[in-house]
Each structure stands twice: as C-alpha cells, then as structure tokens.
Amino acid sequence: MGTSSSSYAPKTVYLDVDGKMQKVIFSRYCSPCDIRELLCSSSNIARNTAIRLVDSEGALVSIDPTMPTNTPNSQYKVMPQSTGQVGDKEDMFQNVLSQVAEQFSRAFRINELKTEVTNRLAMLEKRVELEGLKMVEIEKCKNDLRKLRDEMTSKGGGRVTCGCKYSFTEDGKKLSPRRDVPNYPKYTLSQETIEALKKPTFDVWHWEHNEMLSCLEYMYHDLGLVKEFNMNPITLKRWLLGIQENYRNNPFHNFRHCFCVSQMMYGMIHLCNLQERLTMTDMCILMTAAVCHDLDHPGYNNTYQINAHTELAVRYNDISPLENHHCAVAFQIISMPECNIFANIETEAFKHLRQAIITLILATDMARHGEILDSFKQNVDNFDFTNHKHVTCLKLVLIKCCDISNEVRPTEVAEPWLDCLLEEYFMQSDREKSEGLPVAPFMDRDKVTKPTAQIGFIKFVLIPMFETVMKLFPQIEEIMVQPLRDSRDHYEELKQIDDAMTEAQKKKTESKSLGGKKK
C-alpha cells in the first residue's frame, strides 16, 4: 500500500527563459490551465497567451500534469503561438477541454483524499489494538473510529485537529497534553503492587511519572469508575497526562504529591469499605477531587497570594485563591473534548459531579479546617449513610485526611516529604523577606526545626481529625492513628535532644564568657 507522501510528491521542470534557467514546481493535481498560467508567469508571458512547450531538440511537450520531467541540462522552452494559428473555435474547444479535464482532476483528487483518510484510520485502529486494551474497550474505541470515518467521509476528507484552547498558567503552559497516548507506556502491575496500592504503607518514592499514571489509571478501572461513567479508556489516559503536565515542579506541591493523596484516598476507600457504603458517584467525586486538588500550585500559599496582592488573589477576592484556581484548571482540562472523561454522562449528572468535586477541592484550604471538622464531629456519633448532609461532611473530612496524611506513612516515606515541605516554606519566607511581607514563624528558616514544625501539627491537627474519623471507622486505628501517635513521640524525643544540646551549648558559651572576664 503506497504512502501519502509518495502520492503527493510535486513535479519539477526546468525552463530556458532568455538564456537563464527557471525552475517550476507544480502538483500532479494542477489542471492544464493552471500549468499553462504557471509557465507563462515563469517566462514573463501574458497569462492568456496561447503557448507551446518544446524540448531541447525542438519536439513539442504536452502541457498537463503527466508531462515528463527534465533536468537542468535539458531545459524546455515556452514559445508563444501566433493568434492566426489557432482560430476562435479552436480556442473555445481547447477551453472546454481544459475545464472538463480540470473537473476530472478534482474528482480523482477527492477519491485520493478519501483513500488517504481510510488508510490513516486503519493505522489508528491498529495502534489502538496494540495498546493491549481489554476486548470490550477495544470495541468501544473501534465504534468511535467508525463514527469518525463516517463523519470525515461525508465531508470529503480532511483531518481532525485538537489545538490547545487555553493557556491558563503564568508560564504559558498548555493545558492540553504535550504528548499523546502512544508515548505513555502501559505497565502491567504485579499482584504485590496491586495489594500494596490499597495500604497507607505504600512507598510513593519508588515510582516514575509514567508508572504513577498507570497506577492512577488502574485505580479508576478497579473501582469500576470507567465502566460506571462510560469513560473512553484512551480519554482517561489523555486526561491523566493533562493532569500530570499541569502540576508544577515544586519541592512539595507537585505531581508526586497528587499521586500520594490519590493513593491514600484509594487506600481509605478499601480500608473503610466505602464501596459498600457510598455510591459510585461518591467514589468518583473522592478520587477525581484527590487527583485535581493542587493543580498548577505555584509553590506559594494563600497567605502569600493575599499579602502580595497577586493576580490569583485579586481574581478570587482573597477567598481561597489557590483552591479556586485548582478547580478552574481542573475543569478547563475536562472542558477539552480529548480529555473529557465525563463526556458520556447526562448533563445533570455532570453538573452534580462538577459541583461536588469543587466543594471537596475548596475544603483543602487549611483556613477552613476547624469549621469542617466541627461539622463532622456533630454528625459522627449518629452518622447516617443515607443522609446526604452527613455523607458530604464525611467526603470533606476524607479529602482533608488524605491531603495531609504523610505522617500516617512509615518514617522512611514520611520524613522526605517534611524535607520537601520545609524547602518550599523556606523559598516562600525568603521571598516574603525580600518583598517586605509578613513571615510566618513556622516557615522561617532561622526559627523552625523539624521537631517544632511537626509536633504541634500532629498533636493539634492530625491526631484529633483522624481520631474523629476512627469513631466511624475503628479499623483505621492500628494502620493510621497509631503511626501518628508514634510520629508525635518521635519528634518530641528529637525536640528533647535538640533542647538539651542547645542548653549545653548555652552553658558552654556562658562558661567561656565568665572565664574570659576572670582573666
């Protein structure tokens, strides 16, 4: 089967124009009239002049798309014909013939374009099959391709382009993925990995971006969300690519943090048996909010945005500017047809999903922590899974738990996250100092240590929240709450050591000072 590149190769002829070589290039689909006009123009002859083309030996050469090509050493000459040689009737006859030939050329061109489209679609179908999708997924993709073929055939050829519609972020990053699905390898997860994904002990540091994408893809399939919401598997891949590429390379708020939060959500769903207690819609809201919750985070928190009067703070009137921005980017990505995982659900169902996802992402603003936890505490003792208000409170607390759950993980997994967080804090406080803005003590590199950064947060934020959730799901105590208590004890021991060393250093300094005065 020939390729489109060889079918559309242009022709080149060389002309002798007043002793100088002139190069002429034309498509095989040009009409004879088009070629005559091109030759006249190249030879400085009026457009409507009757001409003849002769080779280096004086033989006539036909002027049409099939004319033989020549070389710079065997140039053709364009010779004007005298008006007396061709009568008016012959002129009219030649024009009619030219028009008929042109119509035939156009007709053949349409057929060639249709053939090209068919060939390209056939290649695309083959690529989809090579992705190794399940049979039911392959059939769905084939149906989509058949619809695309019918649409393109009805239009007489052409190709579908999906240009980037939005450029939303400061650095002009495109919301649409910069690479398409074939460059996103498919990984086969081992049974060991599948089981580990369901546990808070999962080590998120051992995985590359493509592997994390595959794990997220697996979660959506495993929870039944792909089937329930009729998601196109290829669209799911593109959406995840778009998500990954719109997390910035911050020390902490990056794509690995997104994966960390999403994996913890997946683990809590299994640990708390939420599949038996919540709806599939609730499951989709929890997972999608976790995946999108920090999209395009700039690395500087809401306090900085508000104090510095940034564009985001002005746009959202100082009300959770970052969380509002994360929501906006999430739904700008979903608004693109190639990334819309909710394309096959009813409009009202999408409105409900959208509003619920926004509500959960906005709940990750720590300024609302006390309000959300107090609301959940009022319901937890008499919790009713059939009560919409109770379930909404639970979902808000769940995404908050997952967002700040690093200390639930083993020390070797949790401590690097603290290093990343402090690095991001110090970057912000350094910038605040240089811009003359207020600096929070817990972010100041001259005042904060690891123990001081964590003890209060674990004691007064994490443990009370997880212990409240434990009232509803007692099974989390051993695997989630106890690690928090152990972490608190660990950092309190470190603080005691730091305090003792500081005191010893202080006494040593005072002793030296007194010794100097005695002398």
Side-chain angles (χ1 to χ4, degrees):
M1 179 168 60
T3 62
S4 58
S5 58
S6 61
S7 301
Y8 288 91
K11 277 199 170 185
T12 303
V13 296
Y14 299 88
L15 304 179
D16 179 355
V17 180
D18 298 328
K20 295 181 180 179
M21 185 180 74
Q22 181 70 40
K23 184 178 178 180
V24 178
I25 301 174
F26 58 90
S27 166
R28 59 172 292 188
Y29 297 108
C30 285
S31 67
C33 287
D34 292 337
I35 298 173
R36 283 194 183 88
E37 287 188 5
L38 187 60
L39 294 177
C40 287
S41 175
S42 301
S43 302
N44 301 318
I45 299 173
R47 283 177 56 192
N48 297 325
T49 305
I51 60 170
R52 56 195 177 97
L53 190 65
V54 297
D55 64 15
S56 56
E57 296 178 1
L60 287 173
V61 180
S62 62
I63 303 176
D64 59 61
T66 63
M67 64 190 294
T69 56
N70 61 346
T71 67
N73 296 325
S74 58
Q75 300 168 15
Y76 294 155
K77 283 191 177 182
V78 178
M79 311 286 291
Q81 291 184 353
S82 61
T83 53
Q85 289 181 336
V86 180
D88 290 341
K89 290 184 179 179
E90 286 182 290
D91 245 350
M92 186 182 300
F93 184 68
Q94 287 288 347
N95 286 337
V96 170
L97 284 178
S98 296
Q99 291 176 16
V100 171
E102 186 172 352
Q103 293 298 323
F104 272 109
S105 175
R106 288 178 180 171
F108 285 124
R109 184 183 180 190
I110 289 173
N111 288 334
E112 290 283 351
L113 287 172
K114 286 183 179 179
T115 301
E116 182 195 10
V117 169
T118 301
N119 291 341
R120 290 188 180 186
L121 285 169
M123 292 172 65
L124 187 56
E125 286 179 306
K126 187 65 176 176
R127 282 167 56 190
V128 170
E129 291 180 359
L130 291 175
E131 279 295 311
L133 300 172
K134 298 174 185 177
M135 283 304 298
V136 66
E137 296 168 352
I138 293 174
E139 287 304 315
K140 182 176 183 346
C141 291
K142 283 185 175 180
N143 288 335
D144 291 343
L145 290 168
R146 276 193 285 270
K147 290 177 184 176
L148 179 62
R149 181 195 291 118
D150 294 340
E151 180 183 343
M152 294 177 74
T153 303
S154 67
K155 292 180 180 179
R159 58 190 293 183
V160 177
T161 58
C162 299
C164 296
K165 187 176 180 182
Y166 302 103
S167 178
F168 198 84
T169 54
E170 283 181 9
D171 56 358
K173 187 189 299 179
K174 301 298 185 183
L175 294 179
S176 185
R178 292 188 295 271
R179 54 194 175 119
D180 205 356
V181 172
N183 290 327
Y184 166 5
K186 182 178 177 63
Y187 293 92
T188 302
L189 304 183
S190 67
Q191 192 59 40
E192 181 182 5
T193 298
I194 288 171
E195 290 305 314
L197 269 176
K198 300 174 183 177
K199 299 174 183 176
T201 52
F202 186 81
D203 190 343
V204 297
W205 293 107
H206 289 167
W207 305 83
E208 300 296 332
H209 278 186
N210 279 343
E211 294 170 326
M212 290 188 281
L213 286 168
S214 287
C215 287
L216 289 172
E217 183 184 355
Y218 170 81
M219 294 175 199
Y220 270 74
H221 281 282
D222 180 59
L223 292 173
L225 302 180
V226 175
K227 183 177 179 181
E228 176 71 18
F229 296 93
N230 197 18
M231 296 178 187
N232 186 321
I234 299 294
T235 303
L236 176 63
K237 284 176 177 285
R238 286 201 194 94
W239 175 69
L240 288 171
L241 277 172
I243 292 294
Q244 182 240 310
E245 293 187 350
N246 281 281
Y247 273 91
R248 301 195 192 187
N249 293 322
N250 300 314
F252 183 89
H253 290 100
N254 49 41
F255 179 64
R256 192 175 298 278
H257 169 67
C258 151
F259 175 71
C260 196
V261 174
S262 303
Q263 184 272 321
M264 185 63 75
M265 181 66 78
Y266 179 71
M268 289 195 78
I269 287 172
H270 283 283
L271 185 61
C272 302
N273 297 318
L274 294 180
Q275 286 170 296
E276 298 176 6
R277 302 187 179 193
L278 300 181
T279 66
M280 291 295 286
T281 298
D282 289 327
M283 248 25 107
C284 186
I285 291 165
L286 287 169
M287 286 302 301
T288 306
V291 169
C292 299
H293 83 284
D294 269 335
L295 272 168
D296 197 42
H297 195 297
Y300 301 93
N301 68 13
N302 279 332
T303 301
Y304 174 82
Q305 305 297 325
I306 293 167
N307 289 340
H309 306 294
T310 64
E311 180 191 346
L312 287 179
V314 172
R315 181 184 300 161
Y316 296 112
N317 304 308
D318 295 348
I319 302 170
S320 302
L322 288 182
E323 289 71 26
N324 274 294
H325 179 59
H326 305 326
C327 293
V329 175
F331 284 98
Q332 295 238 4
I333 294 172
I334 288 174
S335 73
M336 295 182 291
E338 66 269 30
C339 296
N340 187 1
I341 56 174
F342 300 126
N344 297 322
I345 66 174
E346 297 294 330
T347 302
E348 286 304 313
F350 174 72
K351 285 182 181 178
H352 171 65
L353 275 171
R354 170 176 156 79
Q355 190 55 56
I357 290 168
I358 290 172
T359 300
L360 262 64
I361 294 176
L362 293 179
T364 61
D365 183 353
M366 284 303 293
R368 298 183 57 204
H369 177 80
E371 161 210 338
I372 292 169
L373 186 57
D374 287 344
S375 179
F376 182 66
K377 284 179 178 178
Q378 293 173 14
N379 300 320
V380 70
D381 291 330
N382 300 294
F383 196 88
D384 180 2
F385 278 96
T386 64
N387 185 310
H388 174 72
K389 182 181 176 183
H390 288 195
V391 171
T392 298
C393 282
L394 172 61
K395 288 187 290 188
L396 296 181
V397 171
L398 284 174
I399 194 166
K400 286 181 58 58
C401 286
C402 295
D403 188 24
I404 55 177
S405 63
N406 287 325
E407 290 301 330
V408 170
R409 300 181 186 275
T411 303
E412 63 272 16
V413 179
E415 195 156 351
W417 278 119
L418 177 57
D419 293 331
C420 293
L421 183 62
L422 290 177
E423 183 182 347
E424 197 166 294
Y425 279 174
F426 296 158
M427 286 171 55
Q428 175 171 321
S429 62
D430 290 347
R431 183 167 179 173
E432 287 169 331
K433 291 174 184 176
S434 69
E435 295 178 2
L437 299 174
V439 178
F442 70 88
M443 301 180 81
D444 192 335
R445 68 171 72 245
D446 299 323
K447 297 178 181 179
V448 72
T449 63
K450 283 186 180 182
T452 58
Q454 288 301 87
I455 292 172
F457 187 66
I458 295 171
K459 286 175 68 173
F460 302 115
V461 177
L462 290 177
I463 290 179
M465 181 169 64
F466 276 86
E467 284 184 340
T468 305
V469 175
M470 186 179 73
K471 291 181 180 180
L472 190 59
F473 305 109
Q475 62 268 40
I476 75 167
E477 180 172 15
E478 181 181 353
I479 198 168
M480 301 187 85
V481 179
Q482 190 56 46
L484 289 175
R485 295 167 180 160
D486 294 341
S487 182
R488 173 200 59 196
D489 297 343
H490 168 68
Y491 283 112
E492 285 183 337
E493 289 175 8
L494 287 181
K495 187 175 186 303
Q496 289 176 1
I497 294 171
D498 286 350
D499 290 346
M501 292 178 66
T502 302
E503 186 65 25
Q505 185 65 36
K506 182 180 177 182
K507 288 180 179 179
K508 186 176 180 181
T509 303
E510 289 176 352
S511 176
K512 285 184 178 179
S513 177
L514 289 171
K517 287 181 180 179
K518 287 179 181 179
K519 290 179 181 179

